[in-house]
Amino acid sequence: MQVVVASKNPVKINATQEGFRQIFPKGELSVTGLSVPSGVSDQPMTDEETLQGAANRARNARHEQPDADYWVGIEGGLDETPQGLIAFAWVVILSQNQMGQSRTSTFHLPPKVTELIHQGIELGHANDQVFGEKNSKQKGGAVGSLTGGVLGRTEYYVQAVMLALVPFKNPEIYPIH
């Protein structure tokens, strides 16, 4: 099974590999990363824009490397709620004839991070400034910083990858797209 992740970020590649291994434990798995554009802002600021970015990444990866079995787009995003700014990610998985998608759980960002984001700074950079980290988005991410490393960005994405694979695990009950 050849899987292309629409990113070179090791967090997204590792989360995809782990999600596929858990849903399809038998068989050989090859997961590679490919840098492709999302077609949305560097920091998506709505649920819709984030989903669009994940879908665009998966489609762009399929276009660039059409010989794979699956293409995975993972896009982190933010959304304003009455309770404050929340963070989450969308996962879109494509095959030649099917699509699956899922969103991670959400968490609220602290005021200092939110303030930097409102100044136009991307979440990863804002997180690095507030927590004194370097390149956290390729490590534990904001979720890792906020949980003291109990939940890292890779683990945070794995569940959404597995849930996006549900239509592929159960093709007899999901319509072909």
Side-chain angles (χ1 to χ4, degrees), residues 53-128:
N56 289 348
R57 284 184 188 279
R59 281 192 291 271
N60 289 337
R62 183 169 62 185
H63 178 75
E64 290 290 321
Q65 209 163 3
D67 57 332
D69 299 303
Y70 296 94
W71 301 269
V72 180
I74 302 175
E75 188 75 19
L78 307 172
D79 208 353
E80 290 284 352
T81 71
Q83 296 78 31
L85 195 60
I86 59 170
F88 54 88
W90 271 100
V91 175
V92 173
I93 301 176
L94 301 175
S95 68
Q96 288 296 345
N97 60 359
Q98 184 64 290
M99 179 179 78
Q101 59 187 28
S102 181
R103 193 175 104 159
T104 64
S105 54
T106 62
F107 59 96
H108 285 89
L109 295 172
K112 286 182 180 179
V113 172
T114 298
E115 182 181 315
L116 291 170
I117 290 166
H118 286 153
Q119 293 172 15
I121 297 173
E122 188 181 341
L123 173 57
H125 300 298
N127 188 70
D128 287 349

Coordinates of all heavy atoms in Angstrom, one line a residue, residues 53-128:
G53 N -8.2 23.5 2.8 CA -6.8 23.3 2.7 C -6.4 21.8 2.7 O -5.5 21.4 1.9
A54 N -7.0 21.0 3.6 CA -6.7 19.6 3.6 C -7.1 18.9 2.3 O -6.4 18.1 1.8 CB -7.4 18.9 4.8
A55 N -8.3 19.2 1.8 CA -8.8 18.6 0.6 C -7.9 19.0 -0.6 O -7.5 18.2 -1.5 CB -10.2 19.0 0.3
N56 N -7.5 20.3 -0.7 CA -6.6 20.8 -1.7 C -5.3 20.0 -1.7 O -4.7 19.7 -2.7 CB -6.4 22.3 -1.6 CG -7.6 23.1 -2.0 OD1 -8.6 22.6 -2.5 ND2 -7.5 24.4 -1.7
R57 N -4.7 19.9 -0.5 CA -3.4 19.2 -0.3 C -3.5 17.7 -0.9 O -2.7 17.3 -1.6 CB -3.0 19.2 1.1 CG -2.4 20.5 1.6 CD -1.9 20.4 3.0 NE -1.5 21.6 3.6 CZ -0.4 22.3 3.4 NH1 0.5 21.7 2.6 NH2 -0.1 23.4 3.9
A58 N -4.6 17.0 -0.5 CA -4.7 15.7 -0.9 C -4.9 15.6 -2.4 O -4.2 14.8 -3.1 CB -6.0 15.0 -0.2
R59 N -5.7 16.5 -3.0 CA -5.9 16.5 -4.5 C -4.6 16.9 -5.2 O -4.2 16.3 -6.2 CB -7.0 17.5 -4.9 CG -8.4 16.9 -4.7 CD -9.4 17.7 -5.3 NE -9.6 19.0 -4.7 CZ -10.5 19.2 -3.7 NH1 -11.2 18.3 -3.2 NH2 -10.6 20.4 -3.2
N60 N -3.8 17.8 -4.7 CA -2.6 18.2 -5.3 C -1.5 17.1 -5.2 O -0.8 16.9 -6.1 CB -2.0 19.5 -4.6 CG -2.9 20.7 -5.0 OD1 -3.6 20.7 -6.1 ND2 -2.8 21.8 -4.2
A61 N -1.5 16.4 -4.1 CA -0.6 15.3 -4.0 C -1.0 14.2 -5.0 O -0.1 13.6 -5.6 CB -0.6 14.7 -2.6
R62 N -2.3 13.9 -5.2 CA -2.7 12.9 -6.1 C -2.3 13.3 -7.6 O -1.9 12.5 -8.4 CB -4.2 12.7 -6.0 CG -4.7 11.6 -7.0 CD -6.2 11.2 -6.7 NE -7.1 12.3 -6.9 CZ -8.4 12.3 -6.7 NH1 -8.9 11.2 -6.2 NH2 -9.1 13.4 -6.9
H63 N -2.4 14.6 -7.8 CA -2.0 15.1 -9.2 C -0.5 15.0 -9.4 O -0.1 14.6 -10.5 CB -2.4 16.6 -9.3 CG -2.0 17.2 -10.6 ND1 -2.7 17.0 -11.8 CD2 -1.0 18.1 -10.9 CE1 -2.1 17.6 -12.7 NE2 -1.1 18.3 -12.2
E64 N 0.3 15.2 -8.3 CA 1.7 15.2 -8.5 C 2.3 13.7 -8.5 O 3.3 13.5 -9.1 CB 2.4 15.9 -7.3 CG 2.2 17.4 -7.4 CD 3.0 18.1 -8.5 OE1 4.2 17.6 -8.7 OE2 2.5 19.0 -9.1
Q65 N 1.6 12.9 -7.8 CA 2.1 11.5 -7.7 C 0.9 10.5 -7.9 O 0.5 9.9 -6.9 CB 2.8 11.3 -6.3 CG 3.8 10.2 -6.4 CD 4.8 10.3 -5.2 OE1 4.6 11.1 -4.3 NE2 5.8 9.4 -5.2
P66 N 0.4 10.4 -9.1 CA -0.8 9.7 -9.3 C -0.8 8.2 -9.2 O -1.8 7.5 -9.2 CB -1.2 10.1 -10.8 CG 0.1 10.4 -11.4 CD 0.9 11.0 -10.3
D67 N 0.4 7.6 -9.0 CA 0.6 6.2 -8.9 C 0.4 5.6 -7.5 O 0.5 4.4 -7.4 CB 2.0 5.7 -9.5 CG 3.1 6.4 -8.8 OD1 2.9 7.5 -8.3 OD2 4.2 5.9 -8.8
A68 N 0.2 6.4 -6.5 CA 0.0 5.9 -5.2 C -1.4 5.3 -5.0 O -2.3 5.4 -5.9 CB 0.2 7.1 -4.2
D69 N -1.6 4.7 -3.8 CA -2.9 4.1 -3.5 C -3.8 5.1 -2.7 O -5.0 5.1 -2.9 CB -2.8 2.8 -2.7 CG -2.0 1.8 -3.4 OD1 -2.4 1.4 -4.5 OD2 -0.9 1.4 -2.9
Y70 N -3.2 5.9 -1.9 CA -3.9 6.9 -1.1 C -3.1 8.2 -1.0 O -1.8 8.2 -1.0 CB -4.0 6.4 0.4 CG -4.9 5.1 0.5 CD1 -4.3 3.9 0.5 CD2 -6.2 5.2 0.7 CE1 -5.0 2.7 0.7 CE2 -7.0 4.1 0.8 CZ -6.4 2.9 0.8 OH -7.2 1.7 1.0
W71 N -3.8 9.3 -0.9 CA -3.2 10.6 -0.7 C -3.9 11.2 0.5 O -5.1 11.2 0.6 CB -3.5 11.5 -2.0 CG -2.9 10.8 -3.2 CD1 -1.6 11.0 -3.7 CD2 -3.5 9.9 -4.1 NE1 -1.4 10.2 -4.8 CE2 -2.5 9.5 -5.1 CE3 -4.7 9.3 -4.1 CZ2 -2.8 8.6 -6.1 CZ3 -5.0 8.4 -5.1 CH2 -4.1 8.1 -6.1
V72 N -3.0 11.8 1.4 CA -3.5 12.3 2.6 C -3.2 13.8 2.8 O -2.0 14.2 2.6 CB -2.9 11.6 3.8 CG1 -3.4 12.1 5.2 CG2 -3.2 10.1 3.7
G73 N -4.2 14.6 3.0 CA -4.0 16.0 3.3 C -4.4 16.3 4.8 O -5.5 15.9 5.2
I74 N -3.5 16.9 5.5 CA -3.7 17.3 6.9 C -3.5 18.8 7.0 O -2.4 19.3 6.7 CB -2.8 16.5 7.9 CG1 -3.0 15.0 7.7 CG2 -3.1 17.0 9.3 CD1 -2.1 14.2 8.6
E75 N -4.5 19.5 7.5 CA -4.4 21.0 7.6 C -4.8 21.4 9.0 O -5.9 21.1 9.4 CB -5.3 21.6 6.5 CG -5.1 23.1 6.4 CD -3.8 23.5 5.7 OE1 -3.2 22.7 5.0 OE2 -3.4 24.7 5.9
G76 N -3.9 22.1 9.7 CA -4.3 22.7 11.0 C -4.9 24.0 10.8 O -4.6 24.8 9.9
G77 N -5.9 24.3 11.6 CA -6.6 25.6 11.5 C -7.1 26.1 12.8 O -7.0 25.5 13.9
L78 N -7.7 27.3 12.7 CA -8.2 28.0 13.9 C -9.6 28.5 13.6 O -9.9 28.7 12.4 CB -7.3 29.2 14.3 CG -5.8 28.9 14.5 CD1 -5.0 30.2 14.6 CD2 -5.6 28.0 15.7
D79 N -10.4 28.7 14.6 CA -11.7 29.3 14.4 C -12.0 30.1 15.7 O -11.8 29.7 16.8 CB -12.7 28.2 14.2 CG -13.9 28.7 13.3 OD1 -14.0 29.9 13.0 OD2 -14.7 27.8 13.0
E80 N -12.7 31.3 15.4 CA -13.1 32.1 16.5 C -14.5 31.5 17.0 O -15.4 31.2 16.2 CB -13.4 33.5 16.1 CG -12.1 34.3 15.8 CD -11.3 34.8 17.0 OE1 -11.8 34.6 18.1 OE2 -10.2 35.3 16.8
T81 N -14.6 31.4 18.3 CA -15.9 31.0 18.9 C -16.2 32.0 20.0 O -15.3 32.8 20.4 CB -15.8 29.6 19.6 OG1 -15.0 29.7 20.8 CG2 -15.2 28.5 18.6
P82 N -17.4 32.0 20.5 CA -17.8 32.9 21.6 C -16.9 32.7 22.8 O -16.7 33.6 23.6 CB -19.2 32.6 21.9 CG -19.8 32.0 20.6 CD -18.6 31.3 20.0
Q83 N -16.3 31.5 23.0 CA -15.5 31.2 24.1 C -14.0 31.5 23.8 O -13.2 31.4 24.7 CB -15.6 29.7 24.5 CG -17.0 29.4 25.0 CD -18.0 29.2 23.9 OE1 -17.6 28.7 22.8 NE2 -19.3 29.5 24.1
G84 N -13.7 31.9 22.6 CA -12.3 32.2 22.3 C -11.8 31.4 21.1 O -12.6 30.7 20.4
L85 N -10.5 31.5 20.8 CA -9.9 30.9 19.6 C -9.6 29.5 19.8 O -9.0 29.1 20.8 CB -8.6 31.7 19.2 CG -8.0 31.5 17.8 CD1 -9.0 31.9 16.8 CD2 -6.7 32.2 17.7
I86 N -10.1 28.6 18.9 CA -9.9 27.2 19.1 C -9.0 26.7 17.9 O -8.9 27.3 16.9 CB -11.2 26.3 19.1 CG1 -12.0 26.6 17.8 CG2 -12.0 26.6 20.3 CD1 -13.1 25.6 17.6
A87 N -8.2 25.6 18.2 CA -7.3 25.0 17.3 C -7.8 23.6 17.0 O -8.4 22.9 17.9 CB -5.9 25.0 17.8
F88 N -7.6 23.1 15.8 CA -8.0 21.8 15.3 C -7.3 21.5 14.0 O -6.5 22.4 13.5 CB -9.5 21.7 15.1 CG -10.0 22.8 14.2 CD1 -10.1 22.6 12.9 CD2 -10.4 24.0 14.7 CE1 -10.5 23.6 12.0 CE2 -10.8 25.0 13.9 CZ -10.9 24.8 12.5
A89 N -7.5 20.4 13.4 CA -7.0 20.0 12.1 C -8.0 19.2 11.4 O -8.8 18.5 12.0 CB -5.7 19.3 12.2
W90 N -8.0 19.3 10.1 CA -8.8 18.4 9.2 C -7.9 17.4 8.5 O -6.8 17.8 8.1 CB -9.6 19.2 8.2 CG -10.9 19.7 8.6 CD1 -11.2 20.9 9.1 CD2 -12.1 18.9 8.7 NE1 -12.6 21.0 9.4 CE2 -13.2 19.8 9.1 CE3 -12.5 17.6 8.3 CZ2 -14.5 19.4 9.3 CZ3 -13.8 17.2 8.5 CH2 -14.8 18.1 9.0
V91 N -8.4 16.2 8.3 CA -7.7 15.2 7.6 C -8.6 14.8 6.4 O -9.7 14.4 6.7 CB -7.3 13.9 8.5 CG1 -6.7 12.8 7.6 CG2 -6.5 14.3 9.6
V92 N -8.1 14.8 5.2 CA -8.8 14.3 4.0 C -7.9 13.2 3.4 O -6.7 13.5 3.1 CB -9.1 15.4 3.0 CG1 -9.7 14.9 1.7 CG2 -10.0 16.5 3.7
I93 N -8.5 12.1 3.1 CA -7.8 11.0 2.5 C -8.6 10.6 1.2 O -9.8 10.5 1.2 CB -7.7 9.7 3.4 CG1 -7.0 10.1 4.7 CG2 -7.0 8.6 2.7 CD1 -6.9 9.0 5.8
L94 N -7.8 10.5 0.2 CA -8.3 10.1 -1.2 C -7.7 8.8 -1.6 O -6.6 8.6 -1.4 CB -8.0 11.2 -2.2 CG -8.5 12.6 -1.9 CD1 -8.0 13.6 -3.0 CD2 -10.0 12.7 -1.9
S95 N -8.5 8.1 -2.4 CA -8.0 7.0 -3.2 C -8.5 7.3 -4.6 O -9.0 8.4 -4.9 CB -8.6 5.6 -2.8 OG -10.0 5.6 -3.0
Q96 N -8.3 6.4 -5.5 CA -8.8 6.7 -6.9 C -10.3 6.9 -7.0 O -10.8 7.6 -7.8 CB -8.4 5.5 -7.9 CG -6.9 5.5 -8.2 CD -6.4 6.7 -8.9 OE1 -7.1 7.5 -9.5 NE2 -5.1 6.8 -8.9
N97 N -11.0 6.3 -6.1 CA -12.5 6.4 -6.2 C -13.2 6.6 -4.9 O -14.4 6.4 -4.8 CB -13.1 5.1 -6.8 CG -12.7 3.8 -6.0 OD1 -12.1 3.9 -5.0 ND2 -13.2 2.7 -6.5
Q98 N -12.5 7.0 -3.8 CA -13.2 7.2 -2.6 C -12.5 8.4 -1.8 O -11.4 8.7 -2.1 CB -13.1 5.9 -1.7 CG -13.8 5.9 -0.4 CD -15.3 6.1 -0.5 OE1 -15.8 7.1 -0.9 NE2 -16.0 5.0 -0.2
M99 N -13.3 8.9 -0.9 CA -12.8 10.0 0.0 C -13.3 9.8 1.4 O -14.4 9.4 1.7 CB -13.3 11.4 -0.5 CG -12.8 12.5 0.4 SD -13.3 14.1 -0.1 CE -15.0 14.1 0.5
G100 N -12.4 10.0 2.4 CA -12.7 10.0 3.8 C -12.2 11.3 4.4 O -11.2 11.9 3.9
Q101 N -12.9 11.8 5.4 CA -12.4 13.0 6.1 C -12.8 12.9 7.6 O -13.8 12.3 7.9 CB -13.0 14.2 5.4 CG -14.5 14.3 5.3 CD -14.9 15.5 4.5 OE1 -14.3 16.0 3.6 NE2 -16.1 16.0 4.8
S102 N -12.0 13.6 8.4 CA -12.3 13.7 9.8 C -11.6 14.9 10.4 O -10.6 15.4 9.8 CB -11.8 12.4 10.5 OG -12.1 12.5 11.9
R103 N -12.2 15.4 11.4 CA -11.6 16.6 12.1 C -11.1 16.1 13.5 O -11.7 15.3 14.2 CB -12.6 17.7 12.3 CG -12.0 19.0 12.7 CD -13.0 20.1 12.7 NE -13.3 20.4 14.1 CZ -13.9 21.5 14.5 NH1 -14.2 22.4 13.6 NH2 -14.2 21.7 15.8
T104 N -10.0 16.6 13.9 CA -9.5 16.4 15.3 C -10.4 17.0 16.3 O -11.3 17.8 16.0 CB -8.1 16.9 15.5 OG1 -8.2 18.4 15.4 CG2 -7.1 16.4 14.5
S105 N -10.2 16.7 17.6 CA -10.8 17.4 18.6 C -10.3 18.8 18.6 O -9.3 19.1 18.0 CB -10.5 16.7 20.0 OG -9.1 16.5 20.1
T106 N -10.9 19.7 19.4 CA -10.5 21.1 19.5 C -9.9 21.4 20.9 O -10.2 20.7 21.8 CB -11.6 22.0 19.2 OG1 -12.7 21.8 20.1 CG2 -12.2 21.8 17.8
F107 N -9.2 22.5 20.9 CA -8.7 23.0 22.2 C -8.6 24.5 22.1 O -8.4 25.0 21.0 CB -7.4 22.3 22.7 CG -6.2 22.5 21.8 CD1 -5.3 23.6 22.0 CD2 -6.0 21.7 20.7 CE1 -4.2 23.7 21.1 CE2 -5.0 21.8 19.8 CZ -4.1 22.9 20.1
H108 N -8.8 25.2 23.2 CA -8.7 26.6 23.3 C -7.3 27.1 23.4 O -6.5 26.5 24.2 CB -9.6 27.2 24.4 CG -11.0 27.1 24.1 ND1 -11.8 26.1 24.4 CD2 -11.8 28.0 23.5 CE1 -13.1 26.3 24.0 NE2 -13.1 27.5 23.4
L109 N -7.0 28.1 22.7 CA -5.6 28.7 22.8 C -5.6 29.8 23.9 O -6.6 30.5 24.2 CB -5.2 29.3 21.5 CG -5.1 28.3 20.4 CD1 -4.9 29.0 19.0 CD2 -3.9 27.4 20.6
P110 N -4.5 29.9 24.6 CA -4.4 30.9 25.7 C -4.3 32.3 25.1 O -3.9 32.5 23.9 CB -3.0 30.5 26.4 CG -2.3 29.7 25.4 CD -3.2 29.1 24.5
P111 N -4.7 33.3 25.9 CA -4.7 34.7 25.5 C -3.4 35.2 24.8 O -3.5 35.9 23.8 CB -5.1 35.5 26.7 CG -5.8 34.5 27.6 CD -5.2 33.1 27.3
K112 N -2.3 34.8 25.4 CA -1.0 35.3 24.8 C -0.8 34.8 23.4 O -0.4 35.5 22.5 CB 0.2 34.9 25.7 CG 0.3 35.7 26.9 CD 1.5 35.3 27.7 CE 1.7 36.1 29.0 NZ 2.8 35.7 29.8
V113 N -1.2 33.5 23.1 CA -1.0 33.0 21.8 C -2.1 33.6 20.9 O -1.8 34.0 19.7 CB -1.2 31.4 21.8 CG1 -1.2 30.8 20.4 CG2 0.0 30.8 22.6
T114 N -3.3 33.7 21.4 CA -4.4 34.3 20.6 C -4.0 35.7 20.2 O -4.2 36.1 19.0 CB -5.7 34.3 21.4 OG1 -6.0 33.0 21.7 CG2 -6.8 35.0 20.7
E115 N -3.4 36.5 21.1 CA -3.0 37.9 20.8 C -2.0 37.9 19.6 O -2.2 38.7 18.7 CB -2.5 38.5 22.0 CG -2.1 40.0 21.8 CD -1.5 40.6 23.1 OE1 -2.0 40.3 24.2 OE2 -0.4 41.2 23.0
L116 N -1.1 37.1 19.6 CA -0.1 37.0 18.6 C -0.7 36.6 17.2 O -0.4 37.2 16.2 CB 1.1 36.1 18.9 CG 2.0 36.5 20.1 CD1 2.9 35.4 20.5 CD2 2.8 37.8 19.6
I117 N -1.6 35.7 17.3 CA -2.3 35.2 16.1 C -3.1 36.4 15.5 O -3.1 36.6 14.3 CB -3.2 34.0 16.3 CG1 -2.3 32.8 16.6 CG2 -4.1 33.7 15.2 CD1 -2.9 31.6 17.2
H118 N -3.8 37.1 16.3 CA -4.5 38.3 15.8 C -3.6 39.4 15.3 O -4.1 40.2 14.5 CB -5.4 38.9 17.0 CG -6.6 38.0 17.3 ND1 -7.2 38.0 18.5 CD2 -7.3 37.1 16.5 CE1 -8.2 37.1 18.5 NE2 -8.3 36.6 17.3
Q119 N -2.3 39.3 15.6 CA -1.4 40.2 15.0 C -0.8 39.7 13.6 O 0.0 40.3 13.0 CB -0.2 40.5 15.9 CG -0.6 41.2 17.2 CD 0.6 41.3 18.2 OE1 1.7 41.0 17.9 NE2 0.3 41.6 19.4
G120 N -1.3 38.5 13.2 CA -0.9 37.9 12.0 C 0.2 36.9 12.0 O 0.7 36.5 11.0
I121 N 0.5 36.4 13.2 CA 1.5 35.4 13.4 C 0.9 34.0 13.3 O -0.1 33.8 14.0 CB 2.3 35.7 14.7 CG1 3.0 37.0 14.6 CG2 3.3 34.5 15.0 CD1 3.7 37.4 15.9
E122 N 1.5 33.1 12.6 CA 1.0 31.8 12.5 C 1.1 31.1 13.8 O 2.0 31.3 14.6 CB 1.8 31.0 11.4 CG 1.3 29.7 11.0 CD 2.2 29.0 10.0 OE1 3.0 29.6 9.3 OE2 2.1 27.7 9.9
L123 N 0.2 30.1 14.1 CA 0.1 29.4 15.4 C 1.5 28.9 15.8 O 1.9 29.0 16.9 CB -1.0 28.4 15.4 CG -1.0 27.4 16.6 CD1 -1.2 28.3 17.9 CD2 -2.1 26.4 16.4
G124 N 2.1 28.2 14.9 CA 3.4 27.5 15.2 C 4.4 28.5 15.7 O 5.1 28.3 16.7
H125 N 4.5 29.7 15.1 CA 5.5 30.7 15.5 C 5.0 31.4 16.8 O 5.8 31.7 17.7 CB 5.6 31.8 14.4 CG 6.2 31.2 13.1 ND1 7.4 30.5 13.0 CD2 5.6 31.1 11.9 CE1 7.6 30.1 11.8 NE2 6.5 30.4 11.1
A126 N 3.7 31.6 16.9 CA 3.2 32.2 18.2 C 3.4 31.3 19.3 O 3.9 31.7 20.4 CB 1.7 32.5 18.0
N127 N 3.2 30.0 19.1 CA 3.5 29.0 20.2 C 4.9 29.0 20.6 O 5.3 29.0 21.8 CB 3.1 27.6 19.7 CG 3.1 26.6 20.7 OD1 2.3 26.6 21.6 ND2 4.1 25.7 20.6
D128 N 5.8 29.0 19.6 CA 7.3 29.1 19.9 C 7.6 30.3 20.7 O 8.4 30.2 21.7 CB 8.1 29.1 18.6 CG 8.1 27.8 17.9 OD1 7.6 26.8 18.4 OD2 8.6 27.7 16.7

